[in-house]
Amino acid sequence: MEDLADGMAVISMPYDEALIGDPVTKVIHGGAVSALMDTAGGAAVMAHPRAGVGTATLDLRIDYMRSATPGQRITATATCYHVTRSVAFVRATACDEDGDLPVATATGAFTVIPGKSKT
Amino acid sequence: MKKPEPVGAVKHRRDTVLSAIVSQIPYIRFLGVSFDRHGDELTATMAYHPDLIGNPMLPALHGGATASFLEITAIVGLTWASLWEDMEAGNIDVGTVQQGALLLPKTIDFTVDYLRAGLPRDAYARAVLNRSGRRYASVHVEGWQDNRQRLFAQATGHFLMPPRDAKH
């Protein structure tokens, strides 16, 4: 966990050989990037002042822009761009150490648990 | 008429190719996923492990573990299907596949529907190729736990296929 603010979360993951998805290029598996963005998305929802303390992913769509550079840490930033009483809409971006072009972007919908609002 | 190949030889060849694909991808071992084969049909199993829990209150499987599991199922299913014909025709050098020269499809996008909370139990998944072209493929994956009819997640993804001449 790198940063947590209202409806925003930044989470990073170090490179690990156990996460390799392509043995030839040593590139990390897309699923590991998905998992990181799902975690960041969920954390962003829970960090939103109008959302409850728990959340579940309804759907998550990942677009893979390029391969992550082997050996580099991957950082996911997620933001809630709209929160209703029951659903939070989240966008997330994952970058490696070359921050210009993201490795992947995601959009997702997460549940907002009614009756557990912190405000 | 050509004499049919002994069943043991057929199974050995198929299982060797499958295990060569699976054992080459470290992330499959990391998540604890294995594959069962019946003919050309593959069923993936993600064995339950406490590390896969995302919400300890319920407890429920982590959405990221579920997404990864379905994506692995899609990639292995796609690779397996793309090798099948050559494998059956005896055009694949199993040794080369085992040595890690296998090129894998690349995920372009992957969309997961979380239909219900993943229970702290083993999960299963099967991939169906909606369309598998020379360059692009569309794959649908269904994931379930105790009951085949009650999916806990499903996914659709698009993949860029590796160049065919450099396949193995």
Side-chain angles (χ1 to χ4, degrees):
Chain A
M1 180 70 74
E2 305 262 338
D3 193 10
L4 195 65
D6 284 1
M8 197 274 281
V10 183
I11 293 182
S12 75
M13 170 178 80
Y15 182 79
D16 191 317
E17 293 199 340
L19 305 179
I20 290 174
D22 187 330
V24 178
T25 58
K26 308 276 184 221
V27 169
I28 249 174
H29 194 277
V33 181
S34 308
L36 182 70
M37 296 219 278
D38 185 80
T39 308
V45 175
M46 290 189 274
H48 194 280
R50 279 193 287 119
V53 287
T55 185
T57 319
L58 286 170
D59 89 281
L60 190 72
R61 177 201 160 105
I62 321 266
D63 290 309
Y64 294 95
M65 326 305 269
R66 64 178 175 91
S67 301
T69 309
Q72 294 191 1
R73 174 175 280 271
I74 298 177
T75 305
T77 306
T79 328
C80 298
Y81 64 93
H82 187 62
V83 178
T84 72
R85 272 174 299 171
S86 49
V87 183
F89 298 92
V90 176
R91 274 194 260 266
T93 314
C95 293
D96 57 17
E97 288 162 27
D98 170 21
D100 287 343
L101 179 68
V103 168
T105 62
T107 52
F110 290 74
T111 59
V112 170
I113 291 153
K116 282 194 184 172
S117 177
K118 282 173 282 188
T119 50
Chain B
M1 204 179 107
K2 206 175 136 195
K3 206 173 151 200
E5 205 179 352
V7 65
V10 174
K11 284 189 176 176
H12 178 72
R13 180 182 63 228
R14 293 175 183 173
D15 290 338
T16 309
V17 169
L18 178 61
S19 84
I21 299 169
V22 171
S23 65
Q24 271 182 46
I25 307 176
Y27 194 59
I28 297 182
R29 193 172 335 125
F30 177 78
L31 263 196
V33 174
S34 57
F35 286 82
D36 290 314
R37 184 191 64 77
H38 292 108
D40 70 341
E41 183 192 65
L42 299 183
T43 308
T45 302
M46 181 165 71
Y48 174 69
H49 189 275
D51 288 351
L52 301 173
I53 290 295
N55 183 338
M57 302 295 283
L58 289 173
L61 291 183
H62 192 282
T66 301
S68 301
F69 173 49
L70 299 182
E71 190 174 333
I72 283 171
T73 307
I75 288 178
V76 171
L78 206 48
T79 307
W80 171 250
S82 74
L83 292 177
W84 177 266
E85 261 184 47
D86 281 344
M87 177 178 71
E88 291 303 289
N91 294 335
I92 286 185
D93 178 9
V94 174
T96 314
V97 177
Q98 279 172 319
Q99 276 159 26
L102 193 70
L103 292 177
L104 296 167
K106 287 182 177 165
T107 315
I108 300 167
D109 64 67
F110 201 70
T111 308
V112 185
D113 285 333
Y114 296 92
L115 304 172
R116 40 175 71 79
L119 301 170
R121 293 185 203 141
D122 289 3
Y124 312 103
R126 273 186 206 143
V128 174
L129 309 189
N130 295 325
R131 188 190 134 83
S132 175
R134 208 162 42 84
R135 292 193 62 200
Y136 302 104
S138 166
V139 183
H140 185 74
V141 191
E142 293 186 337
W144 71 96
Q145 294 190 293
D146 296 327
N147 189 327
R148 177 69 183 88
Q149 302 305 315
R150 284 166 64 86
L151 303 181
F152 80 106
Q154 62 178 0
T156 303
H158 296 95
F159 297 85
L160 184 64
M161 299 305 290
R164 270 190 80 81
D165 47 6
K167 201 166 63 182
H168 41 255

